[in-house]
Amino acid sequence: MKKNKIFSVMLLLAASAFSFTSCEESDGQSIEELTGIPADSEATAAPLVLPEEKNTSIPNISAPTREGSSDVAVFSLTGIRTPNNDWMKLYGTNSAGQNIWMEIDGVPKSIDIVNPEDLSNDASKAMADVVFLVDNSGSMSEEADSVASKIIYWSGILSQAMDVKFGCVGIDHRYVNGALNITDVDSLHAYLTRAYHTGTSRTVGFGGNDADALYSSANQYSNAGGECGGIMLRFADENFAWREGSNRIYVYFTDEPNQTNYENNYSVESVNPESEIYNWNAIKGTIHTVYSGGSYSYSGQKEKPWLFSEYTGGTVLYATSDFRGFTLESLPVTGAITNSCQVRFHITQDLSSGTHTITITIVSDDGTVKAYKEFTGVEFNF
């Protein structure tokens, strides 16, 4: 039955490709000449990567959207960090040194990769919505001012490199006590430097034009078991004005375990695709963790916070308790964002409805990098 289903999908793809090709050939141009993407018939099966061979993490992706008015879809993929801590340049179908392959619903799909150096103007820059999740409880008093100043500096530099917006959520023990919706870099800086807000209070209170609405909604997020990145994550996911087609990126600052009060929705396992309580999604975002805590007894409702990153393909930075030496350059998430690329592929009739499974495989020429990841339940915004 499974083989019949795959064969039917392949027939549908072939029919769509034939119709599109015939139309374009009347103008004397091939699909590749028009779009820069080889025909789907030229896509090959990905190399097999066994689970025990995986040595590189693939981050979550942005929601695929239509590229202008064309029959091309595009999504953003943040940088791929190798085991040697380098950032990969990716090459798609029929490229010399092809090192990335994609399948949709089990069928190979032809792809074109637009690497960062090819994003030549503001209109073509990769989009990112970056949200800072900040533990502002008393234990963070030593780090709080340094965290705020680093966020201000870092976001200012980053905003010059790509199309990026910012948001912020704060938590003190069991409840969300501050937030700023997706906005520009100047508004973020104004929020973090408000009068009479120093130390841990920098991320306390609600800012922006929708401050009252955010405050009202925050009352529904008040049942964590302590400092909890999971409750901040859910608040931002469910209440913020994310831009269509943007890559959602979280940067989580904490010195404590993730304390869930046994609420599955706030658990690190809720973003783990292998967990029975998984309820995240590939397009909901990647989480990067900056952890300045010591050793804790991680059991029960006290979880390892950096697992948010491991499960979503993010990065982890272990910082000192006062964030000494913590700079823009030392943030792994910086490389992940600035090395973002765009993945382009043909829109075919079978993708216009329902949800789909995208599988990405990455294997370097020399075999030192091996990775794959399956994204389920993806809906295309066409």
Side-chain angles (χ1 to χ4, degrees):
M1 189 70 178
K2 184 176 181 182
K3 289 183 178 179
N4 289 339
K5 183 177 179 181
I6 292 176
F7 182 69
S8 298
V9 172
M10 291 179 71
L11 284 177
L12 183 57
L13 280 169
S16 299
F18 176 79
S19 175
F20 185 85
T21 303
S22 298
C23 176
E24 301 307 339
E25 283 179 347
S26 65
D27 295 327
Q29 290 182 294
S30 67
I31 291 178
E32 185 167 8
E33 289 172 326
L34 285 164
T35 67
I37 310 169
D40 285 340
S41 59
E42 298 187 42
T44 58
L48 177 63
V49 177
L50 299 175
E52 61 270 19
E53 294 178 319
K54 291 171 60 176
N55 60 10
T56 300
S57 179
I58 297 178
N60 283 347
I61 62 177
S62 67
T65 57
R66 185 181 294 273
E67 187 178 76
S69 59
S70 69
D71 287 317
V72 172
V74 61
F75 63 80
S76 179
L77 180 69
T78 54
I80 304 298
R81 199 180 192 195
T82 73
N84 294 326
N85 294 327
D86 296 322
W87 297 97
M88 289 187 71
K89 183 172 181 178
L90 300 177
Y91 302 92
T93 306
N94 283 354
S95 298
Q98 179 178 357
N99 54 14
I100 180 171
W101 292 259
M102 185 174 79
E103 294 181 354
I104 299 181
D105 300 327
V107 178
K109 191 77 172 172
S110 183
I111 54 175
D112 170 55
I113 305 299
V114 184
N115 285 290
E117 62 268 28
D118 302 320
L119 301 174
S120 57
N121 56 64
D122 290 340
S124 66
K125 285 182 179 178
M127 291 171 56
D129 289 341
V130 179
V131 171
F132 302 100
L133 309 176
V134 184
D135 170 4
N136 59 33
S137 62
S139 64
M140 285 285 287
S141 58
E142 188 178 9
E143 300 102 314
D145 281 325
S146 179
V147 167
S149 65
K150 302 301 183 184
I151 288 176
I152 290 170
Y153 173 66
W154 183 75
S155 58
I157 297 296
L158 193 63
S159 64
Q160 298 175 32
M162 63 185 301
D163 181 1
V164 61
K165 299 289 186 182
F166 300 95
C168 187
V169 184
I171 190 172
D172 179 10
H173 299 294
R174 65 183 183 86
Y175 61 95
V176 170
N177 66 351
L180 178 70
N181 209 334
I182 305 297
T183 187
D184 58 66
V185 67
D186 292 333
S187 297
L188 173 70
H189 293 179
Y191 173 75
L192 293 173
T193 56
R194 290 164 293 161
Y196 310 113
H197 286 261
T198 60
T200 56
S201 72
R202 286 183 182 271
T203 54
V204 175
F206 299 83
N209 296 330
D210 60 345
D212 291 342
L214 291 175
Y215 172 77
S216 177
S217 181
N219 291 328
Q220 309 301 315
Y221 299 81
S222 59
N223 59 334
E227 294 85 337
C228 182
I231 200 170
M232 291 190 286
L233 183 69
R234 298 298 171 164
F235 177 84
D237 174 60
E238 294 164 7
N239 292 278
F240 279 6
W242 304 97
R243 294 180 296 166
E244 182 178 304
S246 68
N247 208 328
R248 302 183 185 185
I249 296 169
Y250 297 90
V251 186
Y252 175 29
F253 295 90
T254 190
D255 65 346
E256 293 271 353
N258 183 58
Q259 299 168 63
T260 65
N261 197 26
Y262 300 99
E263 288 281 344
N264 286 346
N265 207 37
Y266 306 150
S267 170
V268 297
E269 295 301 317
S270 69
V271 303
N272 176 11
E274 305 300 322
S275 170
E276 62 181 14
I277 64 171
Y278 175 72
N279 60 7
W280 200 235
N281 186 287
I283 65 173
K284 284 181 175 286
T286 301
I287 306 153
H288 301 262
T289 304
V290 181
Y291 182 65
S292 60
S295 298
Y296 290 92
S297 175
Y298 298 104
S299 62
Q301 67 109 13
K302 292 187 176 181
E303 303 175 330
K304 298 174 181 178
W306 53 86
L307 289 179
F308 280 118
S309 297
E310 292 186 14
Y311 292 148
T312 61
T315 61
V316 181
L317 175 67
Y318 298 98
T320 60
S321 60
D322 60 359
F323 277 73
R324 183 180 296 115
F326 169 68
T327 65
L328 173 70
E329 289 74 23
S330 69
L331 268 177
V333 66
T334 304
I337 296 174
T338 56
N339 284 280
S340 294
C341 68
Q342 293 181 350
V343 180
R344 304 171 67 244
F345 58 97
H346 296 294
I347 297 174
T348 47
Q349 186 177 351
D350 58 300
L351 305 181
S352 61
S353 62
T355 59
H356 304 271
T357 297
I358 295 178
T359 304
I360 294 177
T361 302
I362 295 176
V363 178
S364 63
D365 267 349
D366 59 7
T368 58
V369 177
K370 293 186 176 182
Y372 72 88
K373 191 168 186 176
E374 184 178 270
F375 305 98
T376 60
V378 179
E379 184 174 354
F380 300 136
N381 298 322
F382 302 149

Coordinates of all heavy atoms in Angstrom, one line a residue, residues 268-324:
V268 N 10.6 20.5 28.3 CA 11.5 20.4 27.2 C 11.1 19.3 26.3 O 11.4 19.3 25.1 CB 13.0 20.2 27.7 CG1 13.5 21.4 28.6 CG2 13.1 18.9 28.5
E269 N 10.4 18.3 26.8 CA 10.0 17.1 26.0 C 8.9 17.5 25.0 O 8.7 16.8 24.0 CB 9.6 16.0 26.9 CG 10.7 15.4 27.7 CD 11.9 14.9 26.9 OE1 11.6 14.2 25.8 OE2 13.0 15.1 27.3
S270 N 8.2 18.6 25.3 CA 7.2 19.0 24.4 C 7.7 19.5 23.0 O 6.9 19.6 22.1 CB 6.3 20.1 25.0 OG 7.1 21.4 25.1
V271 N 9.0 19.8 22.9 CA 9.6 20.1 21.6 C 10.5 19.0 21.1 O 11.2 19.2 20.1 CB 10.4 21.5 21.8 CG1 9.5 22.6 22.3 CG2 11.6 21.3 22.7
N272 N 10.5 17.9 21.7 CA 11.2 16.7 21.3 C 10.4 15.8 20.4 O 9.4 15.2 20.8 CB 11.7 15.9 22.5 CG 12.4 14.7 22.2 OD1 12.8 14.4 21.0 ND2 12.7 13.8 23.2
P273 N 10.7 15.8 19.1 CA 9.9 15.0 18.2 C 9.8 13.5 18.5 O 8.9 12.8 18.1 CB 10.6 15.2 16.8 CG 11.4 16.4 17.0 CD 11.8 16.5 18.4
E274 N 10.7 13.0 19.4 CA 10.7 11.6 19.8 C 9.9 11.4 21.0 O 9.7 10.2 21.4 CB 12.1 11.1 20.0 CG 13.1 11.3 18.8 CD 12.6 10.6 17.6 OE1 12.1 9.5 17.7 OE2 12.8 11.2 16.5
S275 N 9.3 12.4 21.6 CA 8.6 12.3 22.8 C 7.1 12.1 22.6 O 6.5 12.6 21.6 CB 8.8 13.5 23.7 OG 7.9 13.5 24.8
E276 N 6.5 11.4 23.5 CA 5.0 11.1 23.4 C 4.2 12.4 23.7 O 3.0 12.5 23.4 CB 4.6 10.0 24.3 CG 4.8 10.3 25.8 CD 4.4 9.1 26.6 OE1 4.2 8.0 26.1 OE2 4.3 9.3 27.9
I277 N 4.8 13.4 24.3 CA 4.1 14.7 24.6 C 4.5 15.8 23.6 O 4.2 17.0 23.9 CB 4.3 15.1 26.1 CG1 5.8 15.4 26.3 CG2 3.8 14.1 27.0 CD1 6.0 16.1 27.7
Y278 N 5.2 15.4 22.6 CA 5.6 16.4 21.6 C 4.4 17.1 21.0 O 3.5 16.5 20.5 CB 6.4 15.7 20.4 CG 6.8 16.6 19.3 CD1 7.8 17.6 19.4 CD2 6.2 16.5 18.0 CE1 8.2 18.4 18.3 CE2 6.5 17.3 17.0 CZ 7.5 18.2 17.1 OH 7.9 19.0 16.1
N279 N 4.4 18.5 21.0 CA 3.3 19.2 20.4 C 3.8 20.5 19.8 O 3.1 21.5 19.6 CB 2.2 19.5 21.4 CG 2.7 20.4 22.6 OD1 3.8 20.8 22.6 ND2 1.8 20.5 23.5
W280 N 5.1 20.5 19.4 CA 5.7 21.6 18.7 C 5.6 21.4 17.2 O 4.8 20.6 16.8 CB 7.2 21.7 19.1 CG 7.9 23.1 18.9 CD1 9.0 23.3 18.2 CD2 7.5 24.3 19.5 NE1 9.4 24.6 18.3 CE2 8.5 25.3 19.0 CE3 6.5 24.8 20.2 CZ2 8.5 26.6 19.4 CZ3 6.4 26.1 20.6 CH2 7.4 27.0 20.1
N281 N 6.3 22.1 16.4 CA 6.2 22.0 15.0 C 7.5 22.6 14.4 O 8.1 23.5 14.9 CB 5.0 22.7 14.4 CG 4.7 22.4 13.0 OD1 5.4 23.0 12.1 ND2 3.8 21.6 12.7
A282 N 7.9 22.0 13.2 CA 9.1 22.5 12.6 C 9.1 24.0 12.4 O 10.2 24.7 12.5 CB 9.3 21.8 11.3
I283 N 8.0 24.6 12.0 CA 8.0 26.0 11.7 C 7.8 26.9 12.9 O 7.7 28.1 12.7 CB 6.9 26.3 10.6 CG1 5.5 26.1 11.2 CG2 7.2 25.5 9.4 CD1 4.4 26.5 10.2
K284 N 7.6 26.4 14.1 CA 7.4 27.2 15.3 C 8.7 27.8 15.8 O 8.6 28.7 16.6 CB 6.7 26.3 16.3 CG 5.2 26.1 16.1 CD 4.6 25.3 17.2 CE 3.1 25.2 17.0 NZ 2.4 26.5 17.3
G285 N 9.8 27.3 15.4 CA 11.1 27.9 15.8 C 12.1 27.1 16.4 O 11.9 25.9 16.8
T286 N 13.3 27.6 16.4 CA 14.5 27.0 17.0 C 14.9 27.8 18.2 O 14.8 29.0 18.3 CB 15.7 27.0 16.0 OG1 15.3 26.3 14.8 CG2 16.9 26.4 16.5
I287 N 15.3 27.1 19.3 CA 15.6 27.7 20.6 C 17.1 27.6 20.8 O 17.7 26.5 20.7 CB 14.9 27.0 21.7 CG1 13.4 27.0 21.4 CG2 15.1 27.7 23.0 CD1 12.6 25.8 22.0
H288 N 17.8 28.7 21.1 CA 19.2 28.8 21.5 C 19.3 29.1 23.0 O 18.6 30.0 23.4 CB 19.9 29.8 20.6 CG 19.8 29.5 19.2 ND1 20.8 28.9 18.5 CD2 18.8 29.7 18.3 CE1 20.5 28.7 17.2 NE2 19.3 29.2 17.1
T289 N 20.1 28.5 23.7 CA 20.2 28.6 25.2 C 21.5 29.3 25.6 O 22.6 28.8 25.1 CB 20.0 27.3 25.9 OG1 18.8 26.7 25.4 CG2 20.0 27.5 27.4
V290 N 21.4 30.3 26.5 CA 22.6 30.8 27.2 C 22.4 30.5 28.6 O 21.6 31.1 29.3 CB 22.8 32.3 26.9 CG1 24.0 32.8 27.6 CG2 22.8 32.6 25.4
Y291 N 23.2 29.6 29.1 CA 23.0 29.0 30.5 C 24.2 29.4 31.4 O 25.4 29.2 31.1 CB 22.9 27.5 30.4 CG 22.7 26.9 31.8 CD1 21.5 27.1 32.5 CD2 23.6 26.0 32.3 CE1 21.3 26.5 33.7 CE2 23.4 25.4 33.6 CZ 22.2 25.7 34.3 OH 22.0 25.1 35.5
S292 N 23.9 30.1 32.5 CA 24.9 30.5 33.5 C 24.8 29.9 34.8 O 25.3 30.4 35.8 CB 24.8 32.1 33.6 OG 23.6 32.5 34.1
G293 N 24.1 28.8 34.9 CA 23.9 28.1 36.2 C 24.9 27.1 36.5 O 25.8 26.8 35.7
G294 N 24.8 26.5 37.7 CA 25.8 25.5 38.1 C 25.1 24.1 38.0 O 24.3 23.9 37.1
S295 N 25.5 23.2 38.9 CA 25.0 21.9 38.9 C 23.7 21.8 39.7 O 23.6 22.3 40.9 CB 26.0 20.9 39.5 OG 27.2 20.9 38.7
Y296 N 22.7 21.2 39.2 CA 21.4 21.0 39.9 C 21.1 19.5 39.8 O 21.6 18.7 39.0 CB 20.3 21.8 39.3 CG 20.4 23.3 39.5 CD1 21.1 24.1 38.5 CD2 19.9 23.9 40.6 CE1 21.2 25.4 38.7 CE2 20.0 25.3 40.8 CZ 20.6 26.0 39.8 OH 20.8 27.4 40.0
S297 N 20.1 19.1 40.7 CA 19.5 17.8 40.6 C 18.4 17.9 39.6 O 17.3 18.4 39.9 CB 19.0 17.4 42.0 OG 18.4 16.1 41.9
Y298 N 18.6 17.4 38.4 CA 17.6 17.4 37.3 C 16.8 16.2 37.4 O 17.2 15.1 37.0 CB 18.3 17.5 36.0 CG 19.1 18.8 35.8 CD1 20.5 18.7 35.9 CD2 18.5 20.0 35.6 CE1 21.3 19.9 35.7 CE2 19.3 21.2 35.5 CZ 20.6 21.1 35.5 OH 21.4 22.2 35.4
S299 N 15.6 16.3 37.9 CA 14.6 15.2 38.0 C 13.2 15.8 38.2 O 13.1 16.9 38.7 CB 15.0 14.3 39.2 OG 14.9 15.0 40.4
G300 N 12.3 15.0 37.9 CA 10.9 15.4 38.1 C 10.6 16.6 37.2 O 10.8 16.6 36.0
Q301 N 10.1 17.7 37.9 CA 9.7 18.9 37.2 C 10.9 19.8 37.0 O 10.7 20.9 36.4 CB 8.6 19.6 37.9 CG 9.0 20.2 39.3 CD 9.1 21.7 39.3 OE1 8.6 22.4 38.4 NE2 9.7 22.2 40.4
K302 N 12.1 19.5 37.4 CA 13.3 20.3 37.2 C 14.1 19.6 36.0 O 14.7 18.6 36.2 CB 14.1 20.4 38.4 CG 13.5 21.2 39.5 CD 14.4 21.4 40.7 CE 13.8 22.3 41.8 NZ 14.7 22.5 42.9
E303 N 14.1 20.3 34.9 CA 14.7 19.8 33.7 C 15.9 20.5 33.2 O 16.1 21.7 33.5 CB 13.6 19.8 32.5 CG 12.3 19.1 32.8 CD 11.3 19.3 31.7 OE1 11.3 20.3 31.1 OE2 10.5 18.4 31.5
K304 N 16.7 19.9 32.4 CA 17.9 20.5 31.8 C 17.4 21.5 30.7 O 16.9 21.1 29.7 CB 18.8 19.5 31.2 CG 19.3 18.5 32.2 CD 20.1 17.4 31.5 CE 20.6 16.4 32.5 NZ 21.4 15.2 31.9
P305 N 17.7 22.8 31.0 CA 17.1 23.8 30.0 C 17.7 23.8 28.6 O 17.0 24.2 27.7 CB 17.4 25.2 30.7 CG 18.6 24.9 31.6 CD 18.4 23.5 32.1
W306 N 18.9 23.3 28.5 CA 19.6 23.3 27.2 C 19.0 22.3 26.3 O 19.3 22.3 25.1 CB 21.1 23.1 27.3 CG 21.5 21.9 28.1 CD1 21.6 20.6 27.7 CD2 21.8 21.9 29.5 NE1 22.0 19.8 28.7 CE2 22.1 20.5 29.9 CE3 21.8 22.8 30.5 CZ2 22.4 20.1 31.1 CZ3 22.2 22.4 31.8 CH2 22.5 21.1 32.1
L307 N 18.1 21.4 26.8 CA 17.5 20.4 25.9 C 16.5 21.1 25.0 O 16.3 20.5 23.9 CB 16.8 19.3 26.8 CG 17.7 18.4 27.5 CD1 16.8 17.4 28.4 CD2 18.6 17.6 26.6
F308 N 16.0 22.2 25.3 CA 15.2 23.0 24.3 C 16.0 23.2 23.0 O 15.4 23.1 21.9 CB 14.8 24.3 24.9 CG 13.6 24.3 25.8 CD1 13.8 24.8 27.1 CD2 12.4 24.0 25.4 CE1 12.7 24.8 28.0 CE2 11.3 24.0 26.3 CZ 11.5 24.4 27.6
S309 N 17.3 23.5 23.2 CA 18.1 23.7 22.0 C 18.4 22.4 21.3 O 18.4 22.3 20.0 CB 19.4 24.4 22.4 OG 19.1 25.7 22.9
E310 N 18.8 21.4 22.0 CA 19.2 20.1 21.4 C 18.1 19.5 20.6 O 18.3 19.0 19.5 CB 19.7 19.1 22.5 CG 21.0 19.6 23.2 CD 21.5 18.5 24.1 OE1 21.0 17.3 24.1 OE2 22.4 18.8 24.9
Y311 N 16.8 19.7 21.1 CA 15.7 19.1 20.4 C 15.2 19.9 19.2 O 14.6 19.3 18.3 CB 14.5 18.9 21.4 CG 14.7 17.9 22.5 CD1 14.1 18.1 23.7 CD2 15.5 16.8 22.3 CE1 14.3 17.2 24.8 CE2 15.7 15.9 23.3 CZ 15.1 16.1 24.6 OH 15.2 15.2 25.6
T312 N 15.5 21.2 19.1 CA 15.1 22.0 18.0 C 16.2 22.3 17.0 O 15.9 23.1 16.1 CB 14.4 23.3 18.5 OG1 15.3 24.0 19.2 CG2 13.2 22.9 19.3
G313 N 17.4 21.9 17.3 CA 18.5 22.2 16.4 C 19.2 23.5 16.7 O 19.9 24.0 15.8
G314 N 19.0 24.0 17.9 CA 19.7 25.3 18.3 C 21.0 25.0 18.9 O 21.6 23.9 18.9
T315 N 21.6 26.1 19.4 CA 23.0 26.0 20.0 C 22.9 26.3 21.5 O 21.9 26.9 22.0 CB 23.9 27.1 19.3 OG1 23.4 28.4 19.5 CG2 24.0 26.8 17.8
V316 N 24.0 26.0 22.2 CA 24.0 26.2 23.6 C 25.4 27.0 24.0 O 26.4 26.6 23.4 CB 24.0 24.9 24.4 CG1 24.0 25.2 25.9 CG2 22.7 24.1 24.1
L317 N 25.3 28.0 24.8 CA 26.5 28.7 25.3 C 26.4 28.6 26.8 O 25.5 29.0 27.5 CB 26.5 30.1 24.9 CG 27.6 31.0 25.5 CD1 29.0 30.5 24.9 CD2 27.5 32.4 25.2
Y318 N 27.5 28.0 27.4 CA 27.6 27.9 28.8 C 28.4 29.1 29.3 O 29.6 29.2 29.0 CB 28.2 26.6 29.3 CG 27.4 25.4 28.9 CD1 27.7 24.7 27.7 CD2 26.3 25.0 29.6 CE1 26.9 23.6 27.3 CE2 25.5 23.9 29.2 CZ 25.9 23.2 28.1 OH 25.1 22.1 27.7
A319 N 27.8 30.1 30.0 CA 28.4 31.3 30.4 C 28.8 31.3 31.9 O 28.2 30.5 32.7 CB 27.5 32.5 30.1
T320 N 29.7 32.2 32.3 CA 30.0 32.4 33.8 C 28.8 33.0 34.5 O 27.9 33.6 33.8 CB 31.2 33.2 34.0 OG1 31.0 34.5 33.4 CG2 32.4 32.5 33.3
S321 N 28.8 33.0 35.8 CA 27.7 33.5 36.5 C 27.5 35.0 36.4 O 26.4 35.5 36.6 CB 27.8 33.2 38.0 OG 29.0 33.8 38.5
D322 N 28.5 35.8 36.0 CA 28.4 37.2 35.8 C 28.5 37.6 34.3 O 28.6 38.7 34.0 CB 29.5 38.0 36.6 CG 30.9 37.6 36.2 OD1 31.0 36.7 35.3 OD2 31.8 38.1 36.8
F323 N 28.5 36.6 33.5 CA 28.6 36.8 32.0 C 29.9 37.5 31.6 O 29.9 38.2 30.6 CB 27.4 37.5 31.5 CG 26.2 36.7 31.3 CD1 25.5 36.1 32.3 CD2 25.8 36.4 30.0 CE1 24.4 35.3 32.1 CE2 24.7 35.5 29.7 CZ 24.0 35.0 30.8
R324 N 30.9 37.4 32.4 CA 32.2 37.9 32.0 C 32.7 37.3 30.7 O 32.7 36.0 30.6 CB 33.2 37.8 33.1 CG 34.6 38.4 32.8 CD 35.6 38.2 33.9 NE 35.1 38.9 35.2 CZ 34.8 38.2 36.3 NH1 34.9 36.9 36.3 NH2 34.4 38.9 37.3

